[in-house]
Amino acid sequence: MRRRRARLAGAALTAVLLTGCAHAADPAPLAQRPGGKGTRETGQGRPLPAVVDHVRTRDPVVFLTYDDGAERDRRFIELVRARRLPVTMFLTDSVAGPGYGHFARLRAVGASLQNHTLDHPSLRGLPYAGQRAEICGQQHKLKARFGVRPRLFRPPYGTYDTTTLRAAADCGLSAVVLWRAAVDDDGGLTYTRGARRLHPGDIVAVDPDRPTGRPLSQRTERVLREIERRGLRVGRLEDYL
């Protein structure tokens, strides 16, 4: 992933994240779920999407998510197939597009394909039209290529604002997905907030663009060992949001 650092103002609909795409720390309170107290709507009357880094559940599950589509480790496809891992891939067209066949194979073995914009810009502060073009454009790309219309969106670098939420809602997305845990170059975990260990409902971001670290399959295997050590399993994020 493109390595940048971004810091967001601590407003009600922002989260403070240190980036790369999947490295975050010290988030401010996340936006409330649609239908909850203080829910806001777009100009078209749609509720703003939930912004989540953790799912409230008593089930012993955590959620593995991957961004961009830069690393195409064939062993990762086999790992997903063999372990029946319901992973979630947030794809950027300009990164994943040349290798969409790889992601078709991942989808065939159980991966879910979701929206991460066309060109991976930092969205916060951009005009509505630009944000909508990035988000809706990738909706159209994924629909045309795979026949799917994503419901989940991850903003590049974890940066977003109210305009992002409006654009995401108007593009048909129901949740903006951040992360509470991130995987480093070797497969170790770092945390954005709270206890420094996995809890049920945690969303884990595995950064796939690590040319100097372990391959994606090896980093995932290390995370799986930690998940199992905690008595947890990998859940399908779409079933909980």
Side-chain angles (χ1 to χ4, degrees):
M1 280 171 217
R2 302 159 207 186
R3 290 173 176 77
R4 302 180 192 172
R5 291 188 176 268
R7 184 167 297 275
L8 303 178
L13 291 176
T14 60
V16 179
L17 302 172
L18 296 179
T19 60
C21 236
H23 284 271
D26 304 326
L30 300 175
Q32 296 191 19
R33 287 184 167 277
K37 183 179 179 181
T39 295
R40 300 173 67 181
E41 295 182 343
T42 71
Q44 299 180 32
R46 298 186 178 94
L48 295 183
V51 181
V52 296
D53 65 358
H54 175 92
V55 174
R56 291 184 180 180
T57 180
R58 294 182 179 179
D59 296 344
V61 296
V62 295
F63 309 100
L64 290 182
T65 65
Y66 299 77
D67 290 358
D68 295 356
E71 186 177 341
R72 291 154 203 161
D73 181 354
R74 292 183 179 180
R75 290 168 295 180
F76 180 67
I77 298 176
E78 178 57 25
L79 177 64
V80 171
R81 186 199 65 77
R83 298 288 296 268
R84 298 182 180 181
L85 297 175
V87 298
T88 302
M89 316 296 295
F90 289 96
L91 298 183
T92 295
D93 181 67
S94 61
V95 179
Y100 269 150
H102 173 85
F103 299 101
R105 291 188 288 275
L106 270 170
R107 181 169 179 254
V109 296
S112 169
L113 307 184
Q114 303 294 333
N115 192 324
H116 197 45
T117 71
L118 285 173
D119 297 309
H120 207 275
S122 180
L123 294 174
R124 182 174 182 263
L126 295 181
Y128 171 83
Q131 296 204 39
R132 190 179 191 280
E134 281 286 338
I135 299 169
C136 286
Q138 183 64 340
Q139 290 288 92
H140 299 324
K141 288 276 188 178
L142 293 174
K143 179 67 164 62
R145 181 63 180 82
F146 299 104
V148 299
R149 186 170 293 279
R151 292 187 298 106
L152 308 181
F153 174 63
R154 174 165 286 164
Y157 315 109
T159 66
Y160 69 98
D161 56 18
T162 306
T163 301
T164 311
L165 302 185
R166 288 176 50 223
D170 291 341
C171 293
L173 292 151
S174 60
V176 171
V177 181
L178 304 180
W179 56 90
R180 196 185 82 83
V183 178
D184 64 22
D185 289 15
D186 293 322
L189 288 167
T190 60
Y191 297 88
T192 66
R193 62 183 180 87
R196 293 321 195 227
R197 62 184 180 87
L198 289 174
H199 287 281
D202 280 345
I203 297 171
V204 181
V206 187
D207 188 340
D209 186 13
R210 293 292 179 182
T212 62
R214 297 183 184 184
L216 191 61
S217 55
Q218 291 184 18
R219 279 178 281 131
T220 299
E221 287 172 341
R222 181 175 174 186
V223 174
L224 289 173
R225 289 194 293 270
E226 177 63 15
I227 289 170
E228 291 164 357
R229 190 174 76 84
R230 293 288 178 187
L232 303 168
R233 58 183 171 81
V234 180
R236 183 175 299 278
L237 183 58
E238 295 75 12
D239 291 346
Y240 287 81
L241 292 179

